[in-house]
Each structure stands twice: as structure tokens, then as C-alpha cells.
Amino acid sequence: MQYDLVIKNIGQLLTMENATGPVKGKQMKELTVHEGKAIGIKDGKTSIIADSKDLEQAEAHHVIDAQGRLVTPGLVDPHTHFVFGGSRENELALKQQGVPYLEILKQGGGILSTVRETHKATEKELYEKALFHLNRMMSYGVTTVEGKSGYGLNRETELKQLRVMKSLNEKNQIDIVSTFLGAHAIPPEYKDNKAAFLEEMTVILDEIKEEELAEFVDIFCETGVFSVEESKQYLQKAKEKGFDVKIHADEIDPLGGTELAVDLGAASGDHLVGASKEGISDLAGSNTVAVLLPGTTFYLGKDSYARARKMIDEGAAVALATDFNPGSSPTENLQLIMSLAALKLKMTPEEIWHAVTVNAAYAINRGETAGQIAEGRKADIVIWNAPNYLYIPYHYGVNHVHTVVKNGNPVVERGGKG
Ligand SMILES: N=CN[C@@H](CCC(=O)O)C(=O)O
Ligand SMILES: [Zn+2]
């Protein structure tokens, strides 16, 4: 066999192989670490994982000598908002003066200021800007990413955002999974008539389905935004129309969105900082993945983080994401989130690796294709400038990527210089 690419002399190799669903509870600690392996890639897929010596003589168009480096699946970022106009650096000063996130929103800033900028931007401008952020994500090792609309809050601009994501997915290497988040905030013209606004968002679901613009429907279930009851009714309608659902739940106030996510059989409940005891035990008894976003808690300047320890100890499946967006989490760096998960969520390195690969993939219905290295799967692989898997959450704030291989092709080549 002539391979297109062989990666040889791998030090530690995490394949995350054999998971057949989200990895839950104590199993998140069980990490198989292979040593001294090589990977042969053909036609974009992993063709063989063997002892390095067995592939020493293999014919290949291209060989990468990993020189003992750590190799893992490409990272999966299962919660981001990467298509938007403008930026919100002015809000940093407001935060320093103690103005809360929801108060900025109430005054017409926050999400609503990004909505104004996103309305103004052309499809081409949004495409170019989003591509810049996607390329940066890839440079940090991300090969699959979820992205949400939600900066339009009307038919035209919501569809514009979703079309930008669809076209980015078709034209670029990174895999994008799209979520419709039309119910992200209440536009000023509907501030006294939320029901009419949700009705307007419900009406466009058919068009979104027909054009295959999104797989998931999401809602911001929060004080001053949408209640648990409103979220329930809206997401039930989305399910009836054939969408899978997700919820921005219990991010700031503990309303009960976590319980709702489980009740609805959502693929994920996201944020969950204020998740109740009942909510956590519901999660543990379900396959709904808890997508935790410690970068957001950090950036909002809060002291209480999501109770990841309790969630995992009780048996839930946890994933981690950047929540990349221009307001509450302006970073594309999932490696930084891994460090915050260690320091603030008290997750172990083994749990963290599950949370950014296999569980992140299941949170966006990509468990069968992303988040693992396995023979026959597409070859999404990262070679790290790191001697072992403990190193990435430990050495924080920098980029440890050596090479990112997407669909069998090296798409990021940073080398060993750091
Ligand atoms: N909380 C709601 N939505 C985003 C923030 C969006 C924004 O501030 O622009 C989040 O997940 O944090
Ligand atoms: Zn979000």
C-alpha cells in the first residue's frame, strides 16, 4: 500500500477510540495512552495505526517524523458564535465599572450592539471576517466547530448568517455544524411582544430546513430573555419540524434550563453555571452532554464556575467549548479553555481530553465521524509540541500546535519552534 501520509515516531498517542456514545462520569478518567505508534493515511482517512517500526519502510508521498511528540484527534469546539459584525472592546471598561452583562444587554448594548453591526455587514464581509476566526481556531488545533446564528434576530440577517456558515463549510477544510439561534435576544421592536417574536422565528424554521441551513435550534433561556416555558414551547416546535435542539441554560441565573434540556432530549445543555442539584442528576441519567464554557465565566469576571466535578462524579458527560463570541468570550483558543477547565472546573487532564474530543463531537451529533482517530475514519489529527497529554492544560495561554492534519492533509504547519 502506498500511503498519502505517514506520521511516524509518535510519542504518546490518544485515539479516544471505541466510544459509541458520550463518555460519562468515571469513564471520562479512563484514557488509553498508546506509545511508539505510527499512522498511515490514505484518501483522507486513517488507514492504519501500527507500531512505528512496522511503517518504517512503508511507501508514502509524505512522511512526518513526530519525534516523540504527542498526537491526538483534531479538537472539536462544540459551542461558538463565529459569524458576526463589529467587535465590543468598549464593553471591557463597562465591565470594569461593574455593569453586569445582562444590564448592558438591557440598555441595548451587548448582543444587541453586535446585532446592529451584523445587520450592516454584507454576506461577503461576514464571510471574510468569520474565515479569519476559523483559521485561527484551526491554528489552535480545532478541526470541527459548531457555529450559531443569533446576531440577526430577523429573517433576513439570521438567514444571512446561516448562509455564510454553509458556504464556509463548503469552501474550507474545517467542518462546521450550524445552529439556528434566532431566539438569542429580544429585538427592541418586540420588547413588549415576545410571543410575536418567537412566532416569527418559528415561521422561518421551514425555510431553514428546506435550504439545509442548520441542524440544531438553540435558545437563550435566561432572566430578561426567554423563560423556561417559552423555551420549552419554542424548542418543541423545532423538534416537530425535525431539528435537534440545544439550550443556553442557567448561564447567569438558575432558572431550570438544565432540567428542560434533559426533558427535551437535547443533544446538549450549554453553560449550566447555575444548574441545580436536580438538573445535575437529570443530566447524569441522560445522554444530554453538558457543554461547559469556563472561558465565559472567566471573561464575565465571575467567581462561581459550572460544577463540573459534581456533574462528572454523578455520572454526566461533559464537553468543553470556547463559546467564541465578541461579547462574553472573545477567544478562539480551545487550549486555553483546557487550562481553565483544569484550574477552575477541577477537571483532570484525562477528563479534559474526553471533553474536547469525543464528548464535544457527540454534543453536536458528530460522534461517529469526529473526535477519535480510528481506522476507516477521516484523518483529523493534531501533532503537538508537547511530550505528553498532561502538558497541554498545564502550560497555559500559548499555542502548542506543531501540525494540524485535516482530512489527511497538513493544513497548519507551525513546526517545532513554538
Ligand atoms: N449568552 C448568550 N450568548 C452568548 C454571548 C453572546 C454575546 O454576548 O454576544 C454566550 O453564549 O455567552
Ligand atoms: Zn453561546
Side-chain angles (χ1 to χ4, degrees):
M1 156 93 78
Q2 166 140 40
Y3 297 105
D4 297 328
L5 172 64
V6 166
I7 304 171
K8 68 175 190 178
N9 295 327
I10 297 172
Q12 291 190 342
L13 170 67
L14 307 184
T15 59
M16 317 307 292
E17 222 177 330
N18 298 328
T20 53
V23 179
K24 298 177 66 176
K26 286 190 179 60
Q27 288 175 327
M28 287 185 71
K29 268 201 192 76
E30 287 164 24
L31 191 67
T32 306
V33 183
H34 305 275
E35 306 248 357
K37 297 286 184 191
I39 300 175
I41 295 163
K42 176 92 183 151
D43 298 332
K45 295 196 168 136
T46 295
S47 170
I48 186 169
I49 303 168
D51 287 338
S52 224
K53 60 177 171 10
D54 295 341
L55 284 185
E56 197 54 53
Q57 305 303 327
E59 275 183 55
H61 283 300
H62 187 40
V63 176
I64 301 177
D65 186 346
Q67 296 179 323
R69 292 185 170 85
L70 168 71
V71 170
T72 72
L75 305 184
V76 179
D77 191 341
H79 181 139
T80 81
H81 310 243
F82 65 80
V83 182
F84 56 87
S87 56
R88 308 230 292 268
E89 55 276 32
N90 59 316
E91 284 176 19
L92 190 53
L94 290 175
K95 283 202 311 190
Q96 285 170 329
Q97 290 155 27
V99 187
Y101 178 75
L102 290 177
E103 184 54 35
I104 298 175
L105 176 61
K106 206 164 151 200
Q107 290 172 8
I111 296 171
L112 291 174
S113 88
T114 301
V115 168
R116 289 189 289 276
E117 294 300 321
T118 309
H119 281 184
K120 279 190 243 157
T122 64
E123 211 162 302
K124 186 166 183 298
E125 285 164 349
L126 288 178
Y127 182 100
E128 294 300 332
K129 188 166 157 63
L131 183 56
F132 174 84
H133 296 302
L134 287 174
N135 283 334
R136 190 177 272 158
M137 286 177 192
M138 282 237 275
S139 79
Y140 281 104
V142 173
T143 49
T144 301
V145 61
E146 185 260 14
K148 301 173 196 292
S149 67
Y151 292 124
L153 311 184
N154 65 22
R155 179 183 167 276
E156 192 191 335
T157 307
E158 285 296 320
L159 294 180
K160 178 168 73 176
Q161 278 194 275
L162 292 172
R163 287 187 186 122
V164 166
M165 280 192 262
K166 185 169 180 175
S167 150
L168 283 162
N169 187 40
E170 286 164 357
K171 296 190 186 124
N172 297 280
Q173 292 276 357
I174 193 163
D175 283 321
I176 299 168
V177 176
S178 295
T179 297
F180 172 58
L181 178 58
H184 192 195
I186 303 150
E189 60 276 24
Y190 281 97
K191 85 175 183 328
D192 299 317
N193 197 354
K194 266 202 270 180
F197 174 64
L198 284 177
E199 182 52 30
E200 188 179 322
M201 293 301 107
T202 308
V203 168
I204 54 180
L205 289 177
D206 293 321
E207 229 172 317
I208 292 170
K209 191 89 214 162
E210 208 170 289
E211 273 192 58
E212 297 182 349
L213 289 175
E215 284 177 45
F216 291 97
V217 173
D218 193 346
I219 188 165
F220 189 14
C221 179
E222 187 58 66
T223 305
V225 195
F226 300 103
S227 69
V228 171
E229 192 48 39
E230 286 161 341
S231 305
K232 183 176 176 178
Q233 288 180 16
Y234 174 71
L235 293 179
Q236 259 164 353
K237 287 183 198 145
K239 281 182 70 173
E240 281 159 24
K241 290 178 186 290
F243 291 93
D244 283 319
V245 299
K246 293 176 164 284
I247 312 184
H248 279 66
D250 302 328
E251 173 182 355
I252 304 188
D253 292 332
L255 298 188
T258 311
E259 290 88 327
L260 177 62
V262 175
D263 273 357
L264 290 171
S268 68
D270 301 44
H271 285 291
L272 314 187
V273 178
S276 68
K277 202 163 155 269
E278 293 72 33
I280 292 177
S281 94
D282 288 357
L283 275 174
S286 78
N287 266 346
T288 297
V289 179
V291 174
L292 305 185
L293 312 166
T296 310
T297 312
F298 169 76
Y299 200 76
L300 291 179
K302 306 250 174 188
D303 297 325
S304 307
Y305 283 74
R307 291 188 287 165
R309 262 297 25 104
K310 188 168 170 58
M311 291 176 193
I312 297 173
D313 293 344
E314 289 210 8
V318 168
L320 291 162
T322 57
D323 191 19
F324 172 64
N325 74 71
S328 66
S329 187
T331 182
E332 297 94 338
N333 184 351
L334 192 53
Q335 296 169 48
L336 175 62
I337 303 306
M338 294 168 77
S339 297
L340 290 174
L343 294 165
K344 300 293 188 182
L345 304 185
K346 312 291 181 209
M347 287 171 67
T348 68
E350 296 77 16
E351 291 165 345
I352 290 170
W353 279 105
H354 280 98
V356 293
T357 55
V358 61
N359 281 3
Y362 275 105
I364 54 172
N365 290 352
R366 287 296 183 279
E368 310 301 317
T369 52
Q372 301 181 38
I373 302 174
E375 291 174 3
R377 278 198 182 221
K378 70 182 163 189
D380 293 355
I381 294 169
V382 180
I383 304 171
W384 300 93
N385 284 315
N388 57 60
Y389 73 87
L390 303 173
Y391 196 88
I392 308 299
Y394 147 74
H395 186 148
Y396 86 106
V398 299
N399 190 356
H400 298 287
V401 162
H402 177 283
T403 302
V404 179
V405 173
K406 177 72 187 124
N407 295 320
N409 301 308
V411 288
V412 176
E413 294 178 287
R414 300 181 67 249
K417 295 199 191 94

